[in-house]
Amino acid sequence: MGTTQGAWRAAVTLALSSFGAAGGAAAQTVPAPVVDPAWLKADTATWTAGLELIAGLTGLNGALNFNGFRDGGLTLTVPKGWTVAVHFRNHDGMLPHSAEVIADVHPLPLQPQPSAFDRAFTLKLAEGLPPEATDDFRFIANREGSFLLFCGVAGHGAAGMWIRLMVSGSARLPSLAANPAGK
Ligand SMILES: [Cu+2]
């Protein structure tokens, strides 16, 4: 745990230092993100992974984050064949946000993409849902691989507003874990 946290702080500090002088002062007051176990609920009877996906939970990255994580620094892993039920909430008091599951592509797109799974996106994908709006979507993770949970509002995803989704053929249960952020 100590090592992981240490590595985390290093990764976050590194990410913030590339942010430039303008955003730096405000961003540095944001504490290192931690994973709240309440964000993920696994129902083994129905093979459903419920995820609380909170846009702009903290001020990190000008609030362009999900659950306080940016640039893939949080990974949801689900077993192949499970249903993923995403409860999206926009906690950002200023900007609209949305979410969709897209392919793990680089460079990151500037616009919304076709979703990687059927109906794996919120309403108002390009426009974004306003502050405190919520939307739920669910899809069957029927393909193994690496995907992104990505904000579809123009430029947000490319600016770091994305986390990872791994659909695993070997995982037995869903999990949610922090990992070093990166492009
Ligand atoms: Cu956004």
Side-chain angles (χ1 to χ4, degrees):
M1 188 72 186
T3 327
T4 314
Q5 288 258 326
W8 248 112
R9 291 225 168 80
V12 169
T13 307
L14 199 68
L16 293 180
S17 63
S18 66
F19 208 68
Q28 274 160 16
T29 62
V30 176
V34 286
V35 178
D36 182 340
W39 291 337
L40 176 64
K41 288 194 176 65
D43 184 337
T44 53
T46 60
W47 285 15
T48 301
L51 176 70
E52 297 288 332
L53 185 65
I54 308 157
L57 178 62
T58 68
L60 179 76
N61 197 30
L64 298 185
N65 64 74
F66 284 119
N67 298 36
F69 293 84
R70 60 174 292 186
D71 285 307
L74 181 68
T75 300
L76 170 67
T77 302
V78 297
K80 183 186 171 189
W82 277 52
T83 295
V84 181
V86 176
H87 179 66
F88 171 94
R89 178 163 65 94
N90 183 6
H91 186 261
D92 187 339
M94 294 172 67
L95 295 173
H97 297 290
S98 64
E100 65 167 334
V101 179
I102 65 168
D104 187 357
V105 289
H106 295 271
L108 292 158
L110 291 166
Q111 302 292 338
Q113 300 297 300
S115 68
F117 296 95
D118 273 355
R119 296 183 298 278
F121 51 88
T122 62
L123 295 169
K124 299 187 179 179
L125 187 53
E127 173 191 352
L129 291 148
E132 291 310 326
T134 62
D135 188 29
D136 292 356
F137 65 89
R138 58 168 58 214
F139 61 95
I140 300 170
N142 54 7
R143 222 153 24 94
E144 274 180 59
S146 176
F147 304 91
L148 313 181
L149 272 159
F150 182 87
C151 180
V153 176
H156 286 196
M161 193 164 186
W162 59 279
I163 60 174
R164 289 190 177 280
L165 168 69
M166 296 292 298
V167 180
S168 166
S170 56
R172 309 237 357 234
L173 288 171
S175 61
L176 190 63
N179 48 263
K183 308 289 172 190

